[in-house]
Amino acid sequence: ACLSNTCAPHWADLTNAVRYPGIAALDFQHASHLFGVAKPDPAIYQLFEAATGQRSEEILFFDDRAENVAAAQACGWHAVQILPTHPAVAQIHAACLRYQLSLTS
């Protein structure tokens, strides 16, 4: 799933399947401008749960901003800050192993 703080023009680009096939392949694509609220407002995390049908404890969330990670954790999500100084894929892989999640789900 994707939960992005963005605007309509940027979202149209991000959800372009030719340009970003990884995002297009996700089961859920959600953005702040569609929800009418942005991270780190707790309401966006609750709206995301409702939209995806997932419970807070089932979600592993990645973000580059510490305040968004802290807000997600306050909502009961597993949340990890992605540091720009390290490869993102390696950080995601390590978090999946730490939380014992399948890398294919």
Side-chain angles (χ1 to χ4, degrees):
C2 174
L3 176 60
S4 179
N5 276 355
T6 192
C7 60
H10 185 241
W11 188 242
D13 188 42
L14 277 177
T15 56
N16 178 324
V18 173
R19 187 160 176 179
Y20 296 103
I23 293 177
L26 297 172
D27 293 333
F28 304 104
Q29 302 165 353
H30 298 287
S32 58
H33 74 287
L34 301 174
F35 281 138
V37 63
K39 300 177 285 184
D41 187 320
I44 198 166
Y45 304 99
Q46 296 161 355
L47 288 166
F48 181 85
E49 287 177 29
T52 63
Q54 303 301 306
R55 298 184 323 254
S56 60
E57 63 272 10
E58 298 174 316
I59 297 172
L60 176 56
F61 173 75
F62 301 96
D63 202 288
D64 61 337
R65 299 188 65 190
E67 60 269 26
N68 295 342
V69 170
Q73 289 170 335
C75 290
W77 292 17
H78 304 287
V80 176
Q81 184 177 6
I82 298 297
L83 303 173
T85 55
H86 297 79
V89 172
Q91 293 176 77
I92 292 167
H93 184 262
C96 288
L97 293 175
R98 185 174 348 129
Y99 290 103
Q100 299 181 338
L101 300 174
S102 168
L103 296 176
T104 60
S105 61

